[in-house]
């Protein structure tokens, strides 16, 4: 009886009995997509292989040595991240022969130069593409909003571009100037009459000799690209107001600008086109400043809560990535899956007690509206993209009625002023900005329908640039300005409060003036006959208003930081104090303390408050506020937190002897800390950081309260009740509350907070949750077994996200116990806007 194998060998090749022959297993779609060349070579089409079973049998009996191709030579080798890597952060059951990448560093680009869509590179590229698309769309809609006159000193026609013969070029490099633009046009073979480009903007302006030259240039320019951006040609200002303004100014007229019943702006009766911003994404100040005003407040809170939750998930994900190899993941990361990948429980969001008219400080820009009208209000977009149009804040629900009325008074004055408004394109002009600050009455229930009833004090600060203007003309205009505000406030029913009128002289490009910009107090000296004068002599008494938080009175100078939503700030500070677990034996560090609001409101719950603030004027305010409220257990230090935090922590902390050697020396901490985001390190005194760095303010005399401040900038309340110096008393329970600006904490401050083991609890208050996430990554990432040395010559951080940069810095963090997120809470200080404060408690 023949064997089954011999029977099969005798069958013809076409026989259906060949079906039992082994066939290759089907390849999954994912594998075929990843390794297409493998799928193509799986089935051997050679006729010799299928000619007879005997042939196959002989091949099996005498197998030839098989040479496997080097997998690394295949184009799809390690072009996808291993699924085990994504799930288990590096562990892989495939072994050393795995053809997939086990880290972002191993990942290779695919043959078509794309990246694995699950990789960080691909996600980042996709995000950048979306941002560019959004920016392009915004520029497309905002391109006609350059309302400042575009002038050239060499233009015999007065400098204004002829709108009919001009075009706007979008997507130009920000670093380009007019010379770069002219060179680019010449090399491109484009003939032109005038070209203008301001450094820092992404748009430029070109004027042509005639319509024929313009028609020939547009197709040529639309085909050009600069870098990876394709140039877009757009209309400069498809409205006639620019020419009308020029004509009115040439004739020396102050043309009366009005608005007709159909919504079109007119100058001396001539229509200037619709003043509705129809071609702008931000059609009015309401859209630009309060983009959430169109939805209910409950929906706003829910939207902000979801946004904060997404940001916290980012903290969990990035800290997991930053965890060093061989170090166990923290318990809070392992438990994150149980609460939706959040690092800690998000308690919710606290709503603002006052939803409308809550801002106690408004900064109004000065410029032209879309209809060419001199306007005091808010800009409708970004100057970088060529937007300088200003719209009145009449429909902005976050602006108080008092601030709005003063903006209108100033606007009416500007229409009759002989001095020009600030031109952002040329950086020339006189009138720049109006700031309205308000102080509320204490203890009075808030009337949500009429919150202005609680406002008792108002300070007005007008920012100007006096350079190049005649002193006599300036003095005359300032007298008229003082009279306008005084009469305007008195004419209102009921009269508007007016406590102080201040002039700020600022020569810079941006309206953000330095803290030491000259201030001059203006006041009425002859109210009986209606005349006014400018105070030039006595500028020693700085004008102030007062506000109340938690029944404490705070003195506010013109440039001091103070929370813009006073009632919501009370909730914020109370929450921070509750989470900090304060007690009589607690030392509270108030980092970035400003005028001392947080520390002073919580001083009655702790043994000692030490506030740190880089603005010397704010420290003076904090000292005054402590004296004003009779608070004796506070000390405020003027200096950058990154310079003084290390020495102050060593000064006050009681460190166990066994751990004393582990704590870094303050000077070493400062000298060897990571560089700042701009690559520069702080200048420090290496000889005596505990004394020299603290003594950062010259001796001053407070004229109001008689507080002598010599050497260390501390108030008269810096001594404890037993008469001993506060600097000699040390505390076991030390808590820090940090409330940094939008760019977050300095890396040296983070390192000092992290490496001082006596600091067990930290409450982080952030107006920018993204920077909180970045700082928390460094504070919460476990220390590696060996610390990497930071490479000061490495400039790769320039292309990193804030979270990526934090992960990079965490690698060089000294070995220390990390913090862990305990709980978080959002607090809505800014209704009708996407912003809110985020409070997070960190412990270890």
């Amino acid at each position: 009886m023949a064997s089954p194998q011999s029977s099969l060998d005798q069958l013809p090749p076409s026989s259906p009995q060949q079906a039992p022959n082994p066939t290759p297993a089907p390849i999954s779609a994912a594998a075929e997509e990843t390794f297409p060349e493998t799928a193509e070579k799986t089935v051997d089409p050679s006729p010799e292989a299928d000619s007879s079973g005997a042939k196959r049998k002989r091949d099996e009996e005498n197998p030839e040595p098989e040479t496997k191709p080097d997998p690394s030579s295949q184009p799809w080798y390690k072009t996808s991240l291993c699924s085990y890597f994504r799930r288990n952060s590096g562990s892989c059951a495939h072994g050393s022969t795995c053809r997939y990448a086990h880290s972002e560093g191993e990942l290779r680009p695919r043959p078509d130069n794309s990246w694995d869509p699950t990789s960080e590179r691909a996600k980042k590229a996709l995000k950048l593409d979306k941002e560019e698309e959004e920016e392009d769309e915004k520029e497309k809609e905002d391109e006609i909003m350059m309302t400042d006159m575009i002038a050239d000193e060499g233009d015999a026609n007065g400098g204004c571009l002829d709108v009919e013969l001009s075009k706007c070029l979008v997507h130009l490099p920000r670093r380009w100037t007019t010379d770069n633009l002219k060179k680019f046009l010449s090399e491109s073979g484009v003939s032109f009459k005038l070209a203008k480009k301001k450094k820092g903007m992404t748009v430029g302006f070109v004027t042509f000799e005639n319509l024929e030259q313009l028609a020939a240039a547009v197709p040529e320019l639309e085909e050009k690209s600069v870098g990876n951006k394709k140039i877009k040609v757009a209309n400069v200002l498809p409205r006639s107001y620019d020419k009308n303004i020029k004509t009115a100014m040439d004739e020396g007229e102050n043309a009366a600008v009005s608005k007709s019943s159909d919504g079109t702006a007119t100058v001396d009766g001539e229509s200037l086109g619709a003043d509705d911003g129809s071609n702008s994404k931000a059609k009015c100040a309401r859209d630009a400043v309060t983009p959430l005003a169109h939805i209910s407040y409950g929906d706003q809170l829910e939207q902000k809560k979801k946004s904060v939750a997404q940001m916290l998930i980012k903290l969990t994900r990035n800290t997991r990535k930053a965890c060093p190899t061989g170090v166990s993941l923290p318990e809070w990361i392992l438990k994150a899956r149980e609460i939706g990948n959040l690092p800690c429980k998000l308690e919710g969001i606290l709503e603002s007690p006052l939803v409308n008219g809550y801002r106690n400080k408004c900064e109004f820009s000065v410029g032209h509206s879309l209809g060419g009208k001199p306007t005091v209000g808010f800009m409708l977009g970004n100057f970088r993209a060529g937007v300088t149009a200003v719209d009145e804040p009449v429909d902005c629900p976050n602006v108080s009625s008092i601030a709005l009325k003063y903006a209108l008074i100033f606007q009416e004055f500007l229409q009759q002023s002989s001095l020009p408004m600030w031109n952002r394109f040329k950086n020339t002009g006189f009138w720049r900005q109006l700031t309205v600050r308000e102080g509320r009455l204490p203890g009075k229930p808030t009337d949500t329908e009429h919150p202005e009833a609680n406002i008792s004090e108002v300070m007005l600060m007008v920012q100007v640039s006096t350079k190049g203007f005649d002193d006599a003309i300036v003095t005359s205009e300032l007298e008229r300005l003082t009279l306008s505000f005084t009469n305007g406030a008195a004419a209102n029913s009921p009269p508007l409060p007016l406590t102080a009128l201040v002039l700020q002289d600022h020569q810079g490009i941006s309206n953000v003036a330095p803290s030491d910009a000259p201030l001059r107090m203006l006041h009425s000296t002859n109210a009986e006959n209606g005349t006014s004068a400018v105070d030039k002599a006595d500028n020693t008494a700085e004008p102030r208003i007062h506000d109340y938080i938690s029944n404490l009175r705070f003195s506010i100078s013109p440039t001091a930081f103070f929370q813009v939503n006073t009632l919501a700030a009370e909730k914020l500070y109370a929450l921070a104090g509750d989470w900090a677990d304060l007690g009589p034996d607690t030392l509270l560090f108030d980092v970035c303390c400003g005028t001392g609001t947080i520390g002073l409101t919580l001083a009655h719950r702790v043994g000692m408050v030490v506030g740190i603030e880089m603005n010397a004027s704010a420290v003076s305010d904090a000292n005054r506020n402590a004296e004003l409220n009779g608070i004796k257990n506070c000390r405020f230090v003027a200096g950058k937190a990154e310079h003084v935090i290390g020495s102050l922590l060593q000064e006050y902390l009681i460190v166990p002897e066994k751990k004393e050697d582990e704590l870094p020396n303050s000077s070493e901490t400062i000298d060897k800390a990571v560089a700042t985001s701009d690559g520069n390190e702080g200048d420090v005194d290496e000889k005596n950081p505990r004394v020299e760095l603290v003594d950062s303010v010259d001796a001053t005399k407070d004229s109001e309260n008689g507080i002598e401040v010599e050497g260390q900038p501390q108030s008269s309340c810096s001594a404890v009740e037993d008469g001993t110096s506060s600097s000699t008393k040390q505390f076991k329970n030390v808590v820090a509350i940090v409330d940094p600006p939008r760019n977050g904490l300095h890396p040296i401050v983070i390192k000092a907070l992290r490496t001082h083991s006596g600091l067990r609890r930290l409450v982080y208050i952030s107006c920018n949750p993204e920077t909180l996430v970045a700082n928390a990554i460094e504070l919460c990432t476990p220390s590696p077994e060996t610390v990497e040395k930071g490479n000061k010559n490495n400039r790769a951080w320039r292309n990193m996200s804030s979270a990526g940069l934090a992960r990079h810095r965490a690698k060089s963090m000294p070995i220390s116990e990390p913090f862990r997120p305990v709980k978080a809470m959002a607090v809505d200080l800014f209704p009708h806007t996407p912003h809110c404060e985020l409070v997070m408690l960190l412990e270890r």
Side-chain angles (χ1 to χ4, degrees):
M1 182 175 180
S3 65
Q5 180 63 44
S6 60
S7 300
L8 289 174
D9 292 342
Q10 295 174 2
L11 290 174
S14 59
S15 173
Q17 296 295 330
Q18 287 184 349
N21 287 343
T23 57
I27 298 177
S28 65
E32 185 173 354
E33 178 184 358
T34 306
F35 295 94
E37 73 285 356
T38 305
E40 294 174 1
K41 297 179 181 180
T42 300
V43 179
D44 189 356
S46 172
E48 183 181 359
D50 295 332
S51 60
S52 67
K55 177 66 174 176
R56 289 195 299 272
K57 185 176 180 180
R58 287 193 297 269
D59 291 341
E60 292 174 359
E61 294 175 351
N62 302 302
E64 296 181 0
E66 183 178 354
T67 57
K68 294 183 179 180
D70 182 7
S72 63
S73 64
Q74 300 191 17
W76 289 84
Y77 180 70
K78 291 190 181 298
T79 59
S80 294
L81 284 172
C82 178
S83 59
Y84 285 93
F85 162 74
R86 289 196 295 266
R87 290 197 298 266
N88 305 318
S89 301
S91 61
C92 175
H94 297 152
S96 59
T97 61
C98 183
R99 298 172 297 178
Y100 301 94
H102 289 81
S103 69
E104 296 284 339
E106 287 187 4
L107 191 65
R108 293 170 50 181
R110 295 180 170 182
D112 59 354
N113 289 325
S114 65
W115 294 92
D116 180 357
T118 64
S119 68
E120 291 300 319
R121 293 172 186 254
K123 291 177 181 178
K124 184 176 181 180
L126 181 62
K127 181 180 179 181
L128 291 176
D129 291 342
K130 288 182 178 180
E131 290 177 352
E132 289 179 359
E133 291 177 2
E134 292 174 358
E135 184 178 352
D136 293 346
E137 185 65 24
K138 189 176 188 304
E139 288 174 350
K140 179 180 179 181
E141 301 211 3
D142 288 347
E143 64 194 15
I144 65 167
M145 300 173 66
M146 188 72 183
T147 56
D148 285 356
M149 288 186 299
I150 304 164
D152 189 293
E153 296 178 357
D155 186 359
N157 296 324
C160 288
L161 292 181
D162 188 338
V163 175
E164 296 180 356
L165 296 177
S166 300
K167 288 293 180 181
C168 171
L169 304 185
V170 187
H171 295 159
L172 298 179
R174 294 177 59 187
R175 65 181 183 277
W176 274 19
T177 61
T178 295
D179 292 339
N180 296 115
L181 177 58
K182 289 181 177 180
K183 181 179 178 181
F184 169 76
L185 293 173
S186 300
E187 292 177 350
S188 301
V190 175
S191 301
F192 60 95
K193 177 183 178 183
L194 291 174
K196 301 174 184 293
K197 169 70 172 65
K198 183 176 176 63
K199 189 174 182 180
M201 297 180 65
T202 59
V203 296
F205 304 91
V206 183
T207 301
F208 302 93
E209 294 283 356
N210 48 53
L211 292 175
E212 291 76 13
Q213 195 179 82
L214 184 150
V218 170
E220 184 71 22
L221 290 172
E222 288 179 339
E223 298 297 325
K224 297 292 181 181
S225 296
V226 180
N228 58 352
K229 290 284 187 80
K230 186 175 181 181
I231 289 181
K232 182 176 64 175
V233 181
N235 294 328
V236 179
L237 290 169
R239 304 177 183 199
S240 58
Y241 79 84
D242 192 33
K243 191 178 297 184
N244 291 326
I245 294 175
K246 169 183 175 297
T247 303
M249 292 188 67
D250 288 345
E251 295 174 357
E253 300 177 359
N254 289 312
V257 182
S258 60
K259 188 176 288 187
S260 62
S261 58
D262 61 355
T264 58
T266 59
V267 174
D268 294 338
E270 182 178 351
S271 175
L272 299 180
D275 191 20
D276 59 358
S278 57
N279 291 324
S280 166
K281 192 171 185 178
K283 297 181 180 180
C284 59
R286 179 187 176 95
D287 294 338
V289 177
T290 55
L292 301 185
H294 64 284
I295 62 178
S296 67
Y297 187 53
D299 291 340
Q300 292 181 31
L301 294 177
E302 189 63 27
Q303 180 174 325
K304 293 182 182 184
K305 182 180 177 182
K306 291 180 180 178
S307 176
V308 168
Q310 290 299 317
M311 196 61 64
L312 293 178
I313 292 173
K314 185 177 179 181
L315 170 58
T316 306
R317 184 174 65 249
N318 282 275
T319 306
R320 181 187 289 114
K321 292 180 180 179
C323 284
T325 304
V327 176
S328 300
L329 291 175
E331 185 179 0
W332 63 269
I333 291 183
L334 299 176
K335 292 183 176 180
R337 293 175 183 248
E338 302 174 4
I339 52 175
N341 288 324
L342 294 172
C344 58
K345 183 179 179 182
L346 178 59
E347 302 285 340
I349 181 169
L350 295 179
E351 63 182 49
S352 173
L354 195 62
V355 178
N356 295 321
Y358 59 85
R359 290 191 66 94
N360 57 39
K361 177 185 178 183
C362 289
E363 296 176 332
F364 298 110
S365 299
V366 172
H368 290 97
S369 70
L370 288 172
K373 173 184 175 182
T375 304
V376 177
F378 298 120
M379 289 182 61
L380 295 181
N382 193 337
F383 172 76
R384 184 177 65 188
V387 182
T388 61
V390 177
D391 189 45
E392 297 179 10
V394 289
D395 294 325
C396 298
N398 60 346
V399 178
S400 72
S401 60
I402 291 180
L404 176 60
K405 290 174 183 177
Y406 274 118
L408 293 176
I409 292 173
F410 189 41
Q411 179 173 294
E412 292 175 359
F413 168 80
L414 292 180
Q415 294 175 8
Q416 307 299 326
S417 175
S418 61
L419 295 175
M421 296 186 301
W422 183 258
N423 186 301
R424 293 172 181 81
F425 194 84
K426 298 185 293 180
N427 296 329
T428 59
F430 185 81
W431 305 107
R432 303 186 60 147
Q433 182 175 268
L434 170 67
T435 300
V436 182
R437 304 197 74 157
E438 304 168 357
R440 288 166 170 77
L441 294 170
K444 186 176 179 180
T446 302
D447 185 353
T448 56
E449 296 295 330
H450 305 284
E452 64 275 4
N454 292 336
I455 299 175
S456 60
E457 300 181 41
V458 172
M459 177 192 294
L460 305 179
M461 184 171 70
V462 179
Q463 185 184 97
V464 300
S465 178
T466 59
K467 185 178 181 180
F469 292 94
D470 183 73
D471 289 343
I473 297 177
V474 170
T475 301
S476 174
E477 282 295 282
L478 294 181
E479 289 178 350
R480 288 185 56 248
L481 174 67
T482 306
L483 192 61
S484 294
F485 278 128
T486 303
N487 292 343
N492 190 76
S493 182
L496 302 176
L498 180 56
T499 307
L501 177 58
V502 184
L503 190 76
Q504 183 184 59
D505 193 356
H506 173 46
Q507 313 296 333
I509 296 176
S510 167
N511 284 352
V512 181
S515 58
D516 58 349
L519 297 176
R520 180 190 304 179
M521 188 172 178
L522 311 178
H523 63 83
S524 175
T525 57
N526 262 327
E528 296 178 357
N529 56 18
T531 62
S532 63
V534 179
D535 179 9
K536 290 184 178 179
D538 184 16
N539 289 323
T540 57
E542 192 175 25
R544 297 177 179 278
I545 60 173
H546 299 85
D547 209 332
Y548 291 81
I549 296 180
S550 301
N551 294 323
L552 295 181
R553 190 184 190 202
F554 289 92
S555 176
I556 305 171
S557 58
T559 59
F561 170 79
F562 197 79
Q563 289 286 4
V564 298
N565 189 339
T566 311
L567 298 178
E570 288 185 357
K571 284 188 172 184
L572 176 67
Y573 298 159
L575 175 68
D578 293 341
W579 284 11
D581 192 21
L582 306 176
D585 60 342
T586 299
L587 169 66
L588 174 61
F589 271 100
D590 185 3
V591 184
C592 306
C593 66
T595 56
T597 50
I598 297 178
L600 292 173
T601 55
L602 301 177
H604 66 286
R605 301 171 60 178
V606 301
M608 179 72 181
V609 174
V610 177
I612 305 172
E613 171 60 43
M614 65 179 294
N615 189 325
S617 176
V619 170
S620 177
D621 285 345
N623 289 325
R624 181 178 287 102
N625 291 328
E627 184 76 13
L628 196 62
N629 292 281
I631 298 175
K632 303 296 184 181
N633 60 337
C634 294
R635 174 189 177 190
F636 296 100
V637 178
K640 291 185 177 180
E642 58 267 26
H643 290 178
V644 302
I645 184 69
S647 59
L648 287 172
L649 282 170
Q650 286 192 350
E651 182 176 348
Y652 285 98
L653 285 178
I654 297 178
V655 182
E657 294 183 2
K658 63 179 181 179
K659 293 187 178 181
E660 190 170 2
D661 295 337
E662 299 177 6
L663 291 176
N665 178 270
S666 177
S667 60
E668 294 178 358
T669 301
I670 297 173
D671 287 338
K672 299 180 180 179
V674 291
T676 62
S677 57
D678 59 0
N680 297 325
E681 295 185 357
D683 296 329
V684 298
D685 191 311
E686 299 180 10
K687 297 180 180 179
N688 194 351
R690 291 186 57 183
V691 177
E692 299 296 331
L693 293 175
V694 177
D695 298 346
S696 56
V697 175
D698 295 332
T700 58
K701 179 75 175 177
D702 188 293
S703 58
E704 180 179 311
N705 298 313
I707 302 175
E708 190 77 26
V709 183
E710 296 181 354
Q712 294 184 358
Q714 58 189 40
S715 69
S716 58
C717 63
S718 61
V720 292
E721 294 181 359
D722 60 3
T724 61
S725 172
S726 63
S727 61
T728 62
K729 184 169 182 178
Q730 294 181 318
F731 299 83
K732 290 184 178 180
N733 183 28
V734 181
V735 178
I737 297 180
V738 298
D739 186 11
R742 290 192 61 83
N743 57 355
L745 291 173
H746 191 282
I748 298 179
V749 178
I750 297 174
K751 179 174 286 190
L753 296 173
R754 168 74 184 257
T755 55
H756 283 75
S757 59
L759 182 63
R760 311 302 297 175
R761 186 176 293 107
L762 172 66
V763 179
Y764 196 125
I765 301 174
S766 175
C767 58
N768 184 4
E770 185 172 355
T771 55
L772 184 152
V773 168
N775 292 164
I777 291 171
E778 295 186 66
L779 291 169
C780 300
T781 300
S783 297
E785 295 180 355
T786 57
V787 178
E788 295 184 9
K789 280 190 175 182
N791 185 1
K792 293 186 177 181
N793 296 324
N794 183 10
R795 295 302 182 202
W797 58 266
R798 295 182 183 275
N799 298 321
M800 291 182 182
S801 63
S802 59
L805 182 58
R807 297 199 307 267
H808 181 71
R809 285 177 175 151
K811 297 178 182 178
S812 58
M813 183 68 67
I815 296 176
S816 53
E817 183 182 0
F819 286 89
R820 62 180 177 86
V822 178
K823 50 186 174 181
M825 173 80 81
V827 183
D828 187 22
L829 263 69
F830 316 102
H832 308 303
T833 77
H835 309 291
C836 70
E837 298 273 336
L838 178 60
V839 184
M840 178 177 285
L841 173 62
L842 302 172
E843 290 182 349
R844 57 181 173 184

